[in-house]
């Protein structure tokens, strides 16, 4: 894609947990995806339909797998798969079982 009008930025590796966020826009008419890059914040605004398309696209996309998965990795992966298909009662039970009840 050399020579195209695509702007590329790299998320700041020093801020891995806050480098990508999303939420409603200030006027609540859509959503904003914020990327914290080495050049500063970069925001992309989505209307509701576009955000739903993005969510649908990424929800089923598997996480890049490390070369070798540990038993713990496999258990966490299975837990996430089960949580994605669980109803609220099942999720509450799982949270209680894991000691996450407040």
């Amino acid at each position: 894609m050399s020579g195209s009008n695509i702007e590329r930025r790299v998320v700041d590796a020093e801020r891995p947990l806050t480098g990508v966020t999303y939420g409603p826009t200030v006027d609540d008419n859509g959503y904003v995806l914020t990327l914290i890059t080495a050049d500063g914040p970069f925001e992309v605004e989505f209307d509701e339909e576009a955000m739903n398309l993005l969510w649908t696209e990424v929800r089923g996309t598997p996480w890049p797998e490390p070369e070798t998965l540990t038993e713990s990795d496999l258990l966490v992966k299975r837990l996430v798969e089960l949580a994605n298909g669980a109803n609220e009662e099942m999720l509450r039970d799982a949270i209680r079982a894991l000691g996450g009840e407040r």
Side-chain angles (χ1 to χ4, degrees):
M1 293 190 154
S2 178
S4 68
N5 290 332
I6 296 174
E7 182 176 348
R8 294 186 184 268
R9 296 199 187 184
V10 176
V11 172
D12 188 348
E14 297 298 315
R15 299 183 63 181
L17 299 177
T18 60
V20 180
T21 61
Y22 78 95
T25 56
V26 175
D27 61 11
D28 207 28
N29 285 331
Y31 298 87
V32 65
L33 176 69
T34 303
L35 308 172
I36 305 300
T37 71
D39 297 325
F42 181 74
E43 295 184 347
V44 181
E45 191 170 318
F46 297 84
D47 64 15
E48 187 171 348
E49 182 179 353
M51 191 65 199
N52 284 333
L53 288 171
L54 175 63
W55 177 249
T56 302
E57 177 69 24
V58 299
R59 185 167 184 185
T61 302
W63 187 261
E65 300 293 340
E67 288 185 27
T68 55
L69 294 174
T70 66
E71 181 67 18
S72 179
D73 293 331
L74 293 171
L75 291 169
V76 168
K77 181 178 178 180
R78 183 65 181 137
L79 186 61
V80 170
E81 290 169 354
L82 291 169
N84 280 331
N87 62 35
E88 287 182 23
E89 181 182 349
M90 294 165 71
L91 292 170
R92 283 184 187 26
D93 289 345
I95 290 169
R96 275 192 293 278
L98 293 169
E101 191 171 22
R102 293 180 190 186

